[in-house]
Amino acid sequence: MLVLNSGSSSVKFQLLEPDSGRSLAEGIVERIGEEASSASLTAGPQALERDDRVADHEAALQMVSSLLDDAGIRLAELDLMAVGHRVVHGGPDLYRPTVVDDALIARLRELSPLAPLHNPPAILGIEVARKAHPDVPHVAVFDTAFFHDLPAAAATYAIDRELAERYDIRRYGFHGTSHQYVSEQAAAFLDVPTASLRQIVLHLGNGASASAIVGGRPVETSMGLTPMEGLVMGTRSGDLDPGIITYLWRAAGMSVEDIESMLNRRSGVRGLGGEVDFRVLHRRIASGDAAAQLAYDVYIHRLRKYIGAYLAVLGGADVITFTAGVGENDATVRRDALSGLGAFGIEVDEHLNESPAAGARRISPDGAPTTVLVIPTDEELAIARACAAVLGDGDGDG
Ligand code: ADP
């Protein structure tokens, strides 16, 4: 199974066996369409890098094949089962993994206004991949899927009802593939059924989101109509007073596109501290950089507010799990997110938290009422398995 995650200027890919979970190769083509592109692939012990210019998404896919060739993996000779595509927004009606056909692409185009930054590149990725691999099924897996049945009280914005219905305005939630996968892994790690658990999952990568899950079903999540709501992220603001948007429009004369770009690309940790990478942010804080410190403090404050809110939504949590780039690797963020919550049964063991382990692990002390876990997310594997399941169904639409 080839899994593709096509963004506006990058394509992430992974070739893997869904049953065993074995990854044959993975990599990324970045800065598509820019002067200096880059591409990298790892396959077992091999690590390949290329810096040829990649003009567009079609060229990006050719680059993927060429990198795989160089690693001795010939896509044409593999018994490729399907190509799975991550699609960010499924809108109100697309949530099951769906075999791609022309009608699906037309529907995705109609949904593009809901996700103008994310869906158009995903559609492009699907189209070029269908051309390159016309003989295998392509399956779209939606980032919104897991949250499709969010309770109405959590999914509804308190705005004019008629307008909201006409324009499909609701809280959709994103990173669903990751929240579902990680919450299932957490239950497996504890060797209990998901049905018995109240969970909080903190997906902290460049994009960041939190979810509250009861019995395997999400009851809250921090992202909304778009992936901009909620936590402070690498470059996105997360929650803000909607009045800021109208104020900037009136007072600063900014266009809708200017405001959208500022909130998506020049906000969050980068907007405050000039840097998205938490490793660099910590170094700058250590050297006394006040802007980096403020960025970190705002990030942690928002995260703690959400944890507190979700404890109230759930009536307490059995498990809190950290995942994604920051969540899996940054012990300081994990410590600060949960410090001082002993009264709620939440504790982090300093030694377990800081030990440089990889893989799923517990970082709360033995016997603590709330188990705190670190679990590596694997969206590609989850997408591959969702594809395999829909193709195994035989009816093609899940
Ligand atoms: P994406 O949302 O792009 O998939 P990831 O989940 O890969 O993001 O997270 C990327 C982020 O993870 C980086 O920007 C960086 O801030 C953080 N990160 C990665 N490795 C580490 C580390 N060892 N320590 C702290 N933060 C890290």
Side-chain angles (χ1 to χ4, degrees):
M1 189 89 73
L2 176 65
V3 175
L4 296 176
N5 179 354
S6 305
S8 58
S9 65
S10 73
V11 173
K12 286 189 199 161
F13 63 93
Q14 189 168 158
L15 189 64
L16 72 169
E17 288 175 356
D19 288 343
S20 66
R22 188 168 81 93
S23 171
L24 284 76
E26 65 183 296
I28 185 166
V29 183
E30 288 177 287
R31 294 193 293 280
I32 298 169
E34 292 179 28
E35 281 311 308
S37 312
S38 73
S40 60
L41 167 142
T42 52
Q46 298 188 78
L48 307 177
E49 300 218 359
R50 297 261 287 265
D51 57 7
D52 326 16
R53 180 161 191 274
V54 177
D56 53 24
H57 282 69
E58 195 160 352
L61 222 64
Q62 283 159 5
M63 174 61 87
V64 172
S65 301
S66 149
L67 279 168
L68 287 167
D69 271 353
D70 288 355
I73 301 170
R74 312 239 174 284
L75 269 183
E77 290 163 21
L78 281 181
D79 186 15
L80 196 64
M81 180 182 174
V83 182
H85 296 269
R86 175 182 183 229
V87 179
V88 168
H89 215 309
D93 46 355
L94 295 174
Y95 52 95
R96 295 195 180 96
T98 307
V99 176
V100 175
D101 57 14
D102 294 343
L104 180 82
I105 292 186
R107 180 66 186 131
L108 288 176
R109 271 195 224 295
E110 283 168 18
L111 291 173
S112 282
L114 275 174
L117 304 177
H118 295 97
N119 274 25
I123 297 169
L124 200 58
I126 292 173
E127 288 188 313
V128 301
R130 278 179 99 198
K131 253 202 257 167
H133 304 284
D135 301 326
V136 296
H138 290 248
V139 179
V141 177
F142 300 96
D143 227 27
T144 42
F146 185 51
F147 301 115
H148 180 257
D149 293 322
L150 219 49
T156 307
Y157 287 108
I159 61 168
D160 180 301
R161 184 108 190 256
E162 197 262 322
L163 201 60
E165 278 172 9
R166 186 167 355 133
Y167 289 97
D168 296 321
I169 297 172
R170 56 158 277 187
R171 304 189 60 253
Y172 288 93
F174 300 86
H175 291 148
T177 306
S178 176
H179 285 276
Q180 180 171 16
Y181 174 82
V182 167
S183 57
E184 288 168 2
Q185 293 293 308
F189 183 87
L190 298 173
D191 201 16
V192 295
T194 48
S196 66
L197 293 175
R198 295 167 303 174
Q199 304 198 45
I200 296 176
V201 176
L202 304 168
H203 175 112
L204 310 176
N206 276 323
S209 60
S211 66
I213 299 168
V214 181
R217 300 177 78 89
V219 293
E220 247 302 356
T221 193
S222 59
M223 286 176 164
L225 175 77
T226 75
M228 283 166 70
E229 191 180 338
L231 301 175
V232 175
M233 313 184 204
T235 65
R236 285 177 234 153
S237 63
D239 292 340
L240 51 93
D241 178 350
I244 293 172
I245 295 168
T246 45
Y247 177 68
L248 283 174
W249 180 71
R250 282 198 200 95
M254 287 170 77
S255 67
V256 169
E257 288 74 21
D258 291 343
I259 297 171
E260 187 168 61
S261 166
M262 185 275 291
L263 293 175
N264 271 294
R265 302 199 167 95
R266 303 198 309 282
S267 296
V269 176
R270 176 187 279 162
L272 291 173
E275 174 58 54
V276 284
D277 192 315
F278 272 68
R279 289 162 286 198
V280 182
L281 200 69
H282 286 302
R283 283 203 291 277
R284 289 191 22 207
I285 291 170
S287 69
D289 184 325
Q293 181 71 60
L294 179 65
Y296 183 76
D297 292 347
V298 174
Y299 179 91
I300 293 291
H301 180 76
R302 179 84 50 86
L303 185 56
R304 290 173 62 87
K305 268 186 20 178
Y306 268 90
I307 292 165
Y310 288 5
L311 287 173
V313 167
L314 294 171
D318 303 306
V319 197
I320 299 178
T321 306
F322 289 89
T323 193
V326 177
E328 290 165 32
N329 296 299
D330 196 321
T332 311
V333 164
R334 294 194 297 256
R335 179 199 67 197
D336 293 346
L338 298 181
S339 68
L341 299 182
F344 300 96
I346 300 167
E347 278 176 66
V348 171
D349 179 289
E350 196 181 326
H351 177 70
L352 293 175
N353 186 36
E354 280 168 19
S355 75
R361 58 201 186 271
R362 173 171 59 84
I363 58 166
S364 50
D366 232 354
T370 297
T371 306
V372 184
L373 300 176
V374 178
I375 294 187
T377 192
D378 195 339
E379 287 162 288
E380 287 74 18
L381 177 61
I383 289 172
R385 288 192 171 151
C387 295
V390 70
L391 295 172
D393 264 4
D395 65 1
D397 67 3

